[in-house]
Amino acid sequence: MKRKNKVTMNDIARTAGVSQATVSLVLNQSRNIKLSDETRQRVIGVATELGYDRLPAIHTPRNQAEIALLVSSLQSYDPFIDAISQAREAAWRNETLLTLYDYGDDVALALNIIRQLEKRNCVGIILASPVTTLVDMSDFQDCTRLPLVLLNQRDPASPLLPSFIPDDYANAFQVTKHLLACGATRIAHITGESWMEATRQRLAGYQAALQQAGLPCDDSLVRQTNWQFNESFTATESLLRLEKRPDAIFCASDWLAIGCYQALTVGGVTIPDDMLLAGYDDQKISEQLTPALTSIQLPYSELGRLAVEYLCNEEDAATHVTLAGRLKVRASSSR
């Protein structure tokens, strides 16, 4: 049976004679831009006629159930955006709104937001971080009656608090094992700050893969940075100055890999003929580099969806979901 085409905002815009941006503002109930009631009603009417599948949540904005996602900080290029996108989609499918709050690591502000949420029809709260991290939830545990789940972070002292995180250890193991399979025997690792859980787990996964292959974990091949291009550039230069330099480099983020690319170019080192290279995060820029960068695609889309569905289904089990990502092999690691 032929599947019916899904109605999009562009379809509604063409039929209603307005822009796609106007449709988005109406359907997302934005009041920041002044639109006439006639325009709003025309868009909603057309959407109803076309069978737009997200309308049930639009007709009762004041009583609409919502899930609040509080994120500590966020950059527009961050792959964690995928988690938010899928969380929003999952909320719509469950006739629930997803409301995003960026509290900038200000716990007092987050607690104030939560107190305001208790006065509304809030299904639950997702406390999120764009970087995998360990957190202390003591300030939040007793502050609300609303269900809480953690996304991309966990609290070792709160085993009953549900969490949804990527498996940085398994992902780094997977990347390193791939470089080994490509013939590398001396793999360097450029990583981030040592206090970060993401850094520790990625380093541990890298070391475990080397050990499994019977290779030593050479500390002289590990470089810590603060995740900046210039530090990755400097780290790569120092690796090239080693008496026995590496034949592959695993960068703990795609942004670190950019600095690595630049240093290798300046040093006259060709990727992948002279040096295999792999990144982490699978950001959009990884496909645009020359050669395209092998990277690990994090399961943020799945994790964001699962966190929302956990709250919508009113589950109460002490769920801890840890998902590995998908290796995207590209030219940077293929001789």
Side-chain angles (χ1 to χ4, degrees), residues 2-66:
K2 186 176 179 180
R3 185 176 179 181
K4 184 179 179 181
N5 291 333
K6 184 177 180 180
V7 177
T8 67
M9 288 189 182
N10 282 328
D11 296 329
I12 299 171
R14 283 192 297 269
T15 305
V18 298
S19 68
Q20 190 272 341
T22 298
V23 174
S24 178
L25 290 170
V26 172
L27 298 185
N28 286 292
Q29 301 175 315
S30 173
R31 296 293 171 179
N32 295 327
I33 304 297
K34 289 185 177 181
L35 295 172
S36 68
D37 289 339
E38 187 274 331
T39 297
R40 292 182 186 275
Q41 291 302 320
R42 183 165 78 254
V43 169
I44 291 175
V46 169
T48 302
E49 291 175 6
L50 294 178
Y52 189 64
D53 59 6
R54 295 180 189 172
L55 276 177
I58 295 174
H59 295 306
T60 56
R62 293 187 178 180
N63 297 320
Q64 177 63 49
E66 69 173 298

Short mmCIF file of all heavy atoms in Angstrom, two decimals, residues 2-66:
data_model
loop_
_atom_site.label_atom_id
_atom_site.label_comp_id
_atom_site.label_asym_id
_atom_site.label_seq_id
_atom_site.Cartn_x
_atom_site.Cartn_y
_atom_site.Cartn_z
N LYS A 2 0.57 2.21 -0.84
CA LYS A 2 1.36 3.41 -0.93
C LYS A 2 1.18 4.26 0.32
O LYS A 2 0.07 4.53 0.75
CB LYS A 2 0.96 4.21 -2.17
CG LYS A 2 1.85 5.42 -2.42
CD LYS A 2 1.45 6.10 -3.71
CE LYS A 2 2.32 7.32 -3.96
NZ LYS A 2 1.94 8.01 -5.21
N ARG A 3 2.31 4.69 0.87
CA ARG A 3 2.25 5.47 2.10
C ARG A 3 1.91 6.93 1.80
O ARG A 3 2.43 7.53 0.86
CB ARG A 3 3.62 5.41 2.80
CG ARG A 3 3.63 6.08 4.15
CD ARG A 3 4.98 5.90 4.81
NE ARG A 3 5.03 6.56 6.09
CZ ARG A 3 6.11 6.56 6.86
NH1 ARG A 3 7.20 5.93 6.49
NH2 ARG A 3 6.07 7.19 8.02
N LYS A 4 1.03 7.49 2.59
CA LYS A 4 0.62 8.87 2.41
C LYS A 4 1.76 9.81 2.75
O LYS A 4 2.43 9.65 3.77
CB LYS A 4 -0.59 9.17 3.31
CG LYS A 4 -1.14 10.58 3.12
CD LYS A 4 -2.34 10.78 4.01
CE LYS A 4 -2.90 12.19 3.86
NZ LYS A 4 -4.06 12.41 4.75
N ASN A 5 2.01 10.80 1.87
CA ASN A 5 3.09 11.74 2.12
C ASN A 5 2.80 12.57 3.37
O ASN A 5 1.67 13.01 3.60
CB ASN A 5 3.27 12.66 0.92
CG ASN A 5 3.82 11.93 -0.28
OD1 ASN A 5 4.51 10.93 -0.12
ND2 ASN A 5 3.50 12.41 -1.47
N LYS A 6 3.82 12.80 4.17
CA LYS A 6 3.66 13.57 5.39
C LYS A 6 3.52 15.05 5.06
O LYS A 6 4.25 15.60 4.24
CB LYS A 6 4.88 13.35 6.29
CG LYS A 6 4.78 14.03 7.64
CD LYS A 6 5.99 13.70 8.48
CE LYS A 6 5.89 14.37 9.84
NZ LYS A 6 7.07 14.04 10.68
N VAL A 7 2.56 15.70 5.70
CA VAL A 7 2.33 17.13 5.49
C VAL A 7 3.43 17.91 6.21
O VAL A 7 3.73 17.67 7.38
CB VAL A 7 0.95 17.55 6.02
CG1 VAL A 7 0.75 19.06 5.86
CG2 VAL A 7 -0.15 16.79 5.30
N THR A 8 4.05 18.84 5.50
CA THR A 8 5.13 19.65 6.07
C THR A 8 4.68 21.10 6.25
O THR A 8 3.63 21.51 5.73
CB THR A 8 6.36 19.62 5.16
OG1 THR A 8 6.05 20.31 3.94
CG2 THR A 8 6.79 18.19 4.87
N MET A 9 5.50 21.87 6.95
CA MET A 9 5.21 23.29 7.12
C MET A 9 5.25 24.02 5.78
O MET A 9 4.52 24.99 5.58
CB MET A 9 6.20 23.92 8.10
CG MET A 9 5.98 23.52 9.55
SD MET A 9 7.00 24.49 10.68
CE MET A 9 6.57 23.74 12.26
N ASN A 10 6.12 23.57 4.87
CA ASN A 10 6.17 24.18 3.53
C ASN A 10 4.86 23.98 2.78
O ASN A 10 4.39 24.87 2.07
CB ASN A 10 7.33 23.59 2.73
CG ASN A 10 8.67 24.17 3.14
OD1 ASN A 10 8.75 25.33 3.54
ND2 ASN A 10 9.72 23.37 3.04
N ASP A 11 4.24 22.80 2.94
CA ASP A 11 2.94 22.53 2.31
C ASP A 11 1.89 23.51 2.83
O ASP A 11 1.09 24.06 2.07
CB ASP A 11 2.49 21.10 2.60
CG ASP A 11 3.42 20.06 1.98
OD1 ASP A 11 4.01 20.34 0.93
OD2 ASP A 11 3.56 18.98 2.59
N ILE A 12 1.89 23.69 4.14
CA ILE A 12 0.92 24.61 4.76
C ILE A 12 1.17 26.04 4.28
O ILE A 12 0.23 26.79 3.97
CB ILE A 12 1.02 24.53 6.29
CG1 ILE A 12 0.69 23.10 6.77
CG2 ILE A 12 0.09 25.54 6.96
CD1 ILE A 12 0.97 22.87 8.25
N ALA A 13 2.45 26.44 4.21
CA ALA A 13 2.80 27.80 3.80
C ALA A 13 2.32 28.08 2.38
O ALA A 13 1.76 29.15 2.10
CB ALA A 13 4.31 27.99 3.91
N ARG A 14 2.54 27.13 1.47
CA ARG A 14 2.12 27.34 0.08
C ARG A 14 0.60 27.49 -0.03
O ARG A 14 0.10 28.35 -0.75
CB ARG A 14 2.60 26.17 -0.79
CG ARG A 14 4.08 26.21 -1.14
CD ARG A 14 4.42 25.20 -2.24
NE ARG A 14 4.18 23.84 -1.80
CZ ARG A 14 5.11 23.08 -1.22
NH1 ARG A 14 6.32 23.57 -1.02
NH2 ARG A 14 4.83 21.84 -0.87
N THR A 15 -0.12 26.64 0.68
CA THR A 15 -1.59 26.68 0.60
C THR A 15 -2.16 27.93 1.26
O THR A 15 -3.12 28.53 0.76
CB THR A 15 -2.18 25.42 1.26
OG1 THR A 15 -1.62 24.26 0.66
CG2 THR A 15 -3.69 25.38 1.10
N ALA A 16 -1.56 28.32 2.38
CA ALA A 16 -2.06 29.48 3.13
C ALA A 16 -1.57 30.81 2.56
O ALA A 16 -2.07 31.87 2.94
CB ALA A 16 -1.66 29.36 4.59
N GLY A 17 -0.59 30.76 1.66
CA GLY A 17 -0.07 31.99 1.07
C GLY A 17 0.79 32.79 2.03
O GLY A 17 0.79 34.03 1.98
N VAL A 18 1.51 32.12 2.92
CA VAL A 18 2.40 32.79 3.86
C VAL A 18 3.77 32.11 3.79
O VAL A 18 3.96 31.11 3.09
CB VAL A 18 1.86 32.72 5.30
CG1 VAL A 18 0.52 33.43 5.41
CG2 VAL A 18 1.72 31.26 5.77
N SER A 19 4.73 32.65 4.52
CA SER A 19 6.07 32.06 4.53
C SER A 19 6.13 30.87 5.48
O SER A 19 5.28 30.73 6.38
CB SER A 19 7.10 33.10 4.96
OG SER A 19 6.92 33.44 6.33
N GLN A 20 7.14 30.02 5.26
CA GLN A 20 7.34 28.89 6.17
C GLN A 20 7.63 29.37 7.58
O GLN A 20 7.22 28.76 8.56
CB GLN A 20 8.49 28.01 5.65
CG GLN A 20 8.63 26.67 6.37
CD GLN A 20 9.51 26.75 7.60
OE1 GLN A 20 10.29 27.68 7.74
NE2 GLN A 20 9.38 25.79 8.49
N ALA A 21 8.32 30.52 7.69
CA ALA A 21 8.62 31.08 9.01
C ALA A 21 7.34 31.46 9.76
O ALA A 21 7.22 31.25 10.96
CB ALA A 21 9.54 32.29 8.87
N THR A 22 6.37 32.02 9.02
CA THR A 22 5.10 32.39 9.64
C THR A 22 4.37 31.15 10.15
O THR A 22 3.83 31.14 11.26
CB THR A 22 4.20 33.13 8.62
OG1 THR A 22 4.85 34.34 8.24
CG2 THR A 22 2.84 33.45 9.22
N VAL A 23 4.38 30.09 9.33
CA VAL A 23 3.74 28.84 9.76
C VAL A 23 4.40 28.32 11.03
O VAL A 23 3.72 27.90 11.97
CB VAL A 23 3.84 27.78 8.64
CG1 VAL A 23 3.32 26.42 9.14
CG2 VAL A 23 3.05 28.22 7.43
N SER A 24 5.74 28.35 11.07
CA SER A 24 6.46 27.88 12.25
C SER A 24 6.08 28.69 13.48
O SER A 24 5.85 28.13 14.57
CB SER A 24 7.96 27.97 12.00
OG SER A 24 8.68 27.55 13.15
N LEU A 25 5.98 30.00 13.34
CA LEU A 25 5.62 30.87 14.47
C LEU A 25 4.22 30.54 14.99
O LEU A 25 3.98 30.48 16.20
CB LEU A 25 5.70 32.34 14.06
CG LEU A 25 7.10 32.90 13.81
CD1 LEU A 25 7.02 34.27 13.19
CD2 LEU A 25 7.89 32.95 15.12
N VAL A 26 3.28 30.32 14.05
CA VAL A 26 1.90 30.04 14.46
C VAL A 26 1.81 28.68 15.15
O VAL A 26 1.23 28.55 16.23
CB VAL A 26 0.97 30.08 13.24
CG1 VAL A 26 -0.43 29.59 13.63
CG2 VAL A 26 0.88 31.49 12.68
N LEU A 27 2.38 27.65 14.54
CA LEU A 27 2.24 26.30 15.07
C LEU A 27 3.02 26.10 16.37
O LEU A 27 2.69 25.23 17.17
CB LEU A 27 2.68 25.27 14.03
CG LEU A 27 1.87 25.24 12.74
CD1 LEU A 27 2.32 24.10 11.85
CD2 LEU A 27 0.37 25.13 13.03
N ASN A 28 4.06 26.92 16.56
CA ASN A 28 4.81 26.83 17.81
C ASN A 28 4.34 27.86 18.83
O ASN A 28 5.00 28.06 19.86
CB ASN A 28 6.31 27.00 17.53
CG ASN A 28 6.91 25.78 16.88
OD1 ASN A 28 7.01 24.72 17.49
ND2 ASN A 28 7.30 25.91 15.62
N GLN A 29 3.23 28.53 18.51
CA GLN A 29 2.57 29.45 19.44
C GLN A 29 3.45 30.60 19.89
O GLN A 29 3.37 31.07 21.02
CB GLN A 29 2.06 28.69 20.67
CG GLN A 29 1.08 27.57 20.34
CD GLN A 29 0.69 26.77 21.56
OE1 GLN A 29 1.53 26.40 22.37
NE2 GLN A 29 -0.58 26.52 21.70
N SER A 30 4.33 31.06 19.01
CA SER A 30 5.21 32.16 19.37
C SER A 30 4.42 33.46 19.49
O SER A 30 3.60 33.79 18.64
CB SER A 30 6.30 32.32 18.30
OG SER A 30 7.07 33.48 18.56
N ARG A 31 4.69 34.20 20.56
CA ARG A 31 4.04 35.50 20.75
C ARG A 31 5.07 36.63 20.70
O ARG A 31 4.77 37.78 20.98
CB ARG A 31 3.32 35.53 22.11
CG ARG A 31 2.17 34.53 22.19
CD ARG A 31 1.04 34.89 21.26
NE ARG A 31 0.03 33.82 21.17
CZ ARG A 31 -1.07 33.90 20.44
NH1 ARG A 31 -1.31 34.99 19.74
NH2 ARG A 31 -1.93 32.89 20.40
N ASN A 32 6.32 36.27 20.35
CA ASN A 32 7.37 37.29 20.28
C ASN A 32 7.23 38.14 19.02
O ASN A 32 7.70 39.27 18.97
CB ASN A 32 8.75 36.62 20.28
CG ASN A 32 9.03 35.91 21.59
OD1 ASN A 32 8.59 36.35 22.63
ND2 ASN A 32 9.76 34.81 21.52
N ILE A 33 6.60 37.58 17.99
CA ILE A 33 6.38 38.31 16.74
C ILE A 33 4.88 38.57 16.60
O ILE A 33 4.07 37.66 16.79
CB ILE A 33 6.88 37.49 15.53
CG1 ILE A 33 8.35 37.13 15.71
CG2 ILE A 33 6.67 38.27 14.25
CD1 ILE A 33 9.27 38.32 15.76
N LYS A 34 4.52 39.80 16.28
CA LYS A 34 3.10 40.14 16.15
C LYS A 34 2.54 39.63 14.83
O LYS A 34 2.99 40.02 13.75
CB LYS A 34 2.91 41.65 16.25
CG LYS A 34 3.16 42.20 17.65
CD LYS A 34 2.84 43.68 17.72
CE LYS A 34 3.03 44.21 19.14
NZ LYS A 34 2.71 45.66 19.26
N LEU A 35 1.56 38.75 14.91
CA LEU A 35 0.84 38.25 13.75
C LEU A 35 -0.64 38.49 13.98
O LEU A 35 -1.12 38.37 15.12
CB LEU A 35 1.10 36.76 13.53
CG LEU A 35 2.53 36.35 13.18
CD1 LEU A 35 2.65 34.82 13.19
CD2 LEU A 35 2.94 36.90 11.83
N SER A 36 -1.37 38.80 12.93
CA SER A 36 -2.80 39.05 13.09
C SER A 36 -3.52 37.75 13.42
O SER A 36 -3.07 36.65 13.05
CB SER A 36 -3.38 39.65 11.80
OG SER A 36 -3.36 38.69 10.75
N ASP A 37 -4.66 37.88 14.11
CA ASP A 37 -5.46 36.70 14.43
C ASP A 37 -5.94 36.02 13.15
O ASP A 37 -6.06 34.79 13.10
CB ASP A 37 -6.66 37.11 15.29
CG ASP A 37 -6.25 37.51 16.71
OD1 ASP A 37 -5.15 37.09 17.12
OD2 ASP A 37 -7.03 38.21 17.37
N GLU A 38 -6.21 36.85 12.12
CA GLU A 38 -6.67 36.28 10.85
C GLU A 38 -5.61 35.36 10.25
O GLU A 38 -5.91 34.27 9.75
CB GLU A 38 -7.00 37.42 9.87
CG GLU A 38 -7.66 36.96 8.57
CD GLU A 38 -6.63 36.55 7.52
OE1 GLU A 38 -5.50 37.10 7.55
OE2 GLU A 38 -6.95 35.67 6.68
N THR A 39 -4.34 35.79 10.32
CA THR A 39 -3.24 34.97 9.79
C THR A 39 -3.10 33.69 10.60
O THR A 39 -2.94 32.59 10.03
CB THR A 39 -1.92 35.76 9.82
OG1 THR A 39 -2.03 36.89 8.97
CG2 THR A 39 -0.76 34.89 9.34
N ARG A 40 -3.16 33.82 11.91
CA ARG A 40 -3.04 32.64 12.77
C ARG A 40 -4.17 31.64 12.48
O ARG A 40 -3.93 30.44 12.37
CB ARG A 40 -3.06 33.05 14.24
CG ARG A 40 -1.83 33.84 14.69
CD ARG A 40 -1.89 34.19 16.17
NE ARG A 40 -0.78 35.05 16.56
CZ ARG A 40 0.43 34.62 16.90
NH1 ARG A 40 0.67 33.31 16.90
NH2 ARG A 40 1.38 35.45 17.24
N GLN A 41 -5.38 32.14 12.36
CA GLN A 41 -6.51 31.24 12.12
C GLN A 41 -6.42 30.60 10.74
O GLN A 41 -6.78 29.43 10.56
CB GLN A 41 -7.82 32.02 12.25
CG GLN A 41 -8.14 32.47 13.68
CD GLN A 41 -8.21 31.28 14.63
OE1 GLN A 41 -8.74 30.22 14.29
NE2 GLN A 41 -7.65 31.45 15.84
N ARG A 42 -5.93 31.37 9.73
CA ARG A 42 -5.81 30.82 8.38
C ARG A 42 -4.78 29.68 8.36
O ARG A 42 -5.02 28.63 7.76
CB ARG A 42 -5.40 31.92 7.39
CG ARG A 42 -5.33 31.39 5.95
CD ARG A 42 -5.29 32.50 4.92
NE ARG A 42 -3.98 33.12 4.80
CZ ARG A 42 -3.67 34.32 5.26
NH1 ARG A 42 -4.58 35.04 5.90
NH2 ARG A 42 -2.46 34.82 5.10
N VAL A 43 -3.66 29.89 9.03
CA VAL A 43 -2.63 28.86 9.07
C VAL A 43 -3.14 27.60 9.78
O VAL A 43 -2.96 26.47 9.30
CB VAL A 43 -1.36 29.39 9.78
CG1 VAL A 43 -0.39 28.24 10.06
CG2 VAL A 43 -0.68 30.45 8.92
N ILE A 44 -3.80 27.79 10.92
CA ILE A 44 -4.33 26.64 11.65
C ILE A 44 -5.41 25.92 10.84
O ILE A 44 -5.49 24.69 10.80
CB ILE A 44 -4.89 27.09 13.02
CG1 ILE A 44 -3.74 27.54 13.92
CG2 ILE A 44 -5.67 25.95 13.69
CD1 ILE A 44 -4.18 28.11 15.26
N GLY A 45 -6.24 26.72 10.15
CA GLY A 45 -7.30 26.12 9.33
C GLY A 45 -6.72 25.28 8.19
O GLY A 45 -7.17 24.16 7.94
N VAL A 46 -5.72 25.81 7.51
CA VAL A 46 -5.08 25.07 6.41
C VAL A 46 -4.39 23.82 6.95
O VAL A 46 -4.49 22.74 6.35
CB VAL A 46 -4.07 25.97 5.67
CG1 VAL A 46 -3.22 25.14 4.72
CG2 VAL A 46 -4.80 27.07 4.91
N ALA A 47 -3.71 23.96 8.08
CA ALA A 47 -3.02 22.81 8.66
C ALA A 47 -4.02 21.71 9.01
O ALA A 47 -3.74 20.52 8.81
CB ALA A 47 -2.25 23.25 9.91
N THR A 48 -5.18 22.10 9.51
CA THR A 48 -6.21 21.12 9.85
C THR A 48 -6.73 20.42 8.60
O THR A 48 -6.88 19.20 8.57
CB THR A 48 -7.38 21.82 10.58
OG1 THR A 48 -6.89 22.46 11.76
CG2 THR A 48 -8.45 20.81 10.97
N GLU A 49 -7.00 21.20 7.55
CA GLU A 49 -7.51 20.64 6.30
C GLU A 49 -6.52 19.66 5.67
O GLU A 49 -6.90 18.63 5.11
CB GLU A 49 -7.81 21.76 5.31
CG GLU A 49 -9.00 22.63 5.71
CD GLU A 49 -9.19 23.80 4.76
OE1 GLU A 49 -8.45 23.86 3.74
OE2 GLU A 49 -10.04 24.66 5.03
N LEU A 50 -5.23 19.99 5.75
CA LEU A 50 -4.21 19.14 5.13
C LEU A 50 -3.87 17.91 5.98
O LEU A 50 -3.17 17.02 5.52
CB LEU A 50 -2.94 19.95 4.88
CG LEU A 50 -3.05 21.08 3.85
CD1 LEU A 50 -1.72 21.82 3.72
CD2 LEU A 50 -3.46 20.53 2.49
N GLY A 51 -4.35 17.90 7.22
CA GLY A 51 -4.09 16.76 8.09
C GLY A 51 -2.74 16.81 8.76
O GLY A 51 -2.10 15.77 8.99
N TYR A 52 -2.27 18.00 9.08
CA TYR A 52 -1.00 18.14 9.78
C TYR A 52 -1.08 17.43 11.13
O TYR A 52 -2.00 17.66 11.92
CB TYR A 52 -0.69 19.63 9.99
CG TYR A 52 0.70 19.91 10.52
CD1 TYR A 52 1.83 19.60 9.76
CD2 TYR A 52 0.87 20.49 11.76
CE1 TYR A 52 3.10 19.88 10.23
CE2 TYR A 52 2.15 20.76 12.25
CZ TYR A 52 3.26 20.46 11.46
OH TYR A 52 4.52 20.72 11.95
N ASP A 53 -0.11 16.53 11.39
CA ASP A 53 -0.27 15.58 12.50
C ASP A 53 0.15 16.11 13.87
O ASP A 53 0.14 15.37 14.84
CB ASP A 53 0.50 14.28 12.21
CG ASP A 53 1.98 14.52 12.00
OD1 ASP A 53 2.44 15.66 12.20
OD2 ASP A 53 2.68 13.55 11.63
N ARG A 54 0.50 17.40 13.97
CA ARG A 54 0.91 17.92 15.28
C ARG A 54 -0.11 18.90 15.86
O ARG A 54 0.14 19.55 16.85
CB ARG A 54 2.26 18.61 15.18
CG ARG A 54 3.38 17.65 14.81
CD ARG A 54 4.70 18.38 14.71
NE ARG A 54 5.73 17.53 14.17
CZ ARG A 54 6.94 17.96 13.84
NH1 ARG A 54 7.25 19.22 14.00
NH2 ARG A 54 7.84 17.12 13.35
N LEU A 55 -1.25 19.00 15.22
CA LEU A 55 -2.23 19.99 15.67
C LEU A 55 -2.89 19.70 17.02
O LEU A 55 -3.26 20.63 17.70
CB LEU A 55 -3.32 20.15 14.61
CG LEU A 55 -2.96 21.13 13.48
CD1 LEU A 55 -4.07 21.17 12.46
CD2 LEU A 55 -2.70 22.52 14.04
N PRO A 56 -3.09 18.46 17.45
CA PRO A 56 -3.78 18.24 18.72
C PRO A 56 -3.21 19.01 19.90
O PRO A 56 -3.94 19.43 20.78
CB PRO A 56 -3.64 16.72 18.92
CG PRO A 56 -3.58 16.18 17.54
CD PRO A 56 -2.80 17.19 16.76
N ALA A 57 -1.92 19.21 19.89
CA ALA A 57 -1.30 19.92 21.01
C ALA A 57 -1.44 21.42 20.91
O ALA A 57 -1.13 22.14 21.84
CB ALA A 57 0.18 19.56 21.09
N ILE A 58 -1.92 21.92 19.75
CA ILE A 58 -1.96 23.36 19.54
C ILE A 58 -3.25 24.00 20.05
O ILE A 58 -3.29 25.15 20.42
CB ILE A 58 -1.80 23.66 18.03
CG1 ILE A 58 -0.41 23.22 17.59
CG2 ILE A 58 -2.02 25.11 17.71
CD1 ILE A 58 -0.19 23.32 16.11
N HIS A 59 -4.32 23.21 20.13
CA HIS A 59 -5.63 23.80 20.44
C HIS A 59 -5.83 24.14 21.91
O HIS A 59 -6.75 24.85 22.25
CB HIS A 59 -6.73 22.84 19.99
CG HIS A 59 -6.75 22.65 18.51
ND1 HIS A 59 -6.84 23.69 17.62
CD2 HIS A 59 -6.68 21.51 17.75
CE1 HIS A 59 -6.84 23.21 16.38
NE2 HIS A 59 -6.73 21.91 16.43
N THR A 60 -4.99 23.63 22.79
CA THR A 60 -5.16 23.90 24.21
C THR A 60 -3.86 24.38 24.83
O THR A 60 -3.29 23.75 25.72
CB THR A 60 -5.62 22.62 24.95
OG1 THR A 60 -4.66 21.58 24.69
CG2 THR A 60 -6.99 22.18 24.49
N PRO A 61 -3.34 25.53 24.38
CA PRO A 61 -2.03 25.98 24.84
C PRO A 61 -1.96 26.23 26.33
O PRO A 61 -0.93 25.99 26.94
CB PRO A 61 -1.81 27.27 24.04
CG PRO A 61 -3.19 27.72 23.63
CD PRO A 61 -3.97 26.47 23.44
N ARG A 62 -3.02 26.71 26.95
CA ARG A 62 -2.94 27.05 28.36
C ARG A 62 -2.89 25.81 29.26
O ARG A 62 -2.31 25.85 30.33
CB ARG A 62 -4.14 27.93 28.75
CG ARG A 62 -4.11 29.30 28.07
CD ARG A 62 -5.20 30.19 28.61
NE ARG A 62 -5.15 31.51 28.00
CZ ARG A 62 -5.99 32.49 28.27
NH1 ARG A 62 -6.96 32.30 29.15
NH2 ARG A 62 -5.86 33.66 27.68
N ASN A 63 -3.51 24.73 28.83
CA ASN A 63 -3.53 23.53 29.65
C ASN A 63 -2.61 22.44 29.12
O ASN A 63 -2.61 21.33 29.61
CB ASN A 63 -4.98 22.98 29.71
CG ASN A 63 -5.92 23.96 30.37
OD1 ASN A 63 -5.56 24.60 31.35
ND2 ASN A 63 -7.11 24.11 29.81
N GLN A 64 -1.84 22.77 28.09
CA GLN A 64 -1.00 21.77 27.44
C GLN A 64 0.06 21.24 28.40
O GLN A 64 0.77 22.00 29.05
CB GLN A 64 -0.32 22.38 26.22
CG GLN A 64 0.62 21.44 25.51
CD GLN A 64 -0.12 20.25 24.95
OE1 GLN A 64 -1.13 20.41 24.30
NE2 GLN A 64 0.39 19.07 25.20
N ALA A 65 0.15 19.94 28.47
CA ALA A 65 1.20 19.33 29.27
C ALA A 65 2.55 19.63 28.63
O ALA A 65 2.68 19.75 27.42
CB ALA A 65 0.99 17.82 29.35
N GLU A 66 3.57 19.77 29.46
CA GLU A 66 4.89 20.07 28.93
C GLU A 66 5.96 19.28 29.67
O GLU A 66 5.77 18.81 30.79
CB GLU A 66 5.21 21.56 29.03
CG GLU A 66 5.42 22.06 30.45
CD GLU A 66 5.90 23.50 30.51
OE1 GLU A 66 6.99 23.77 29.99
OE2 GLU A 66 5.19 24.33 31.10
#
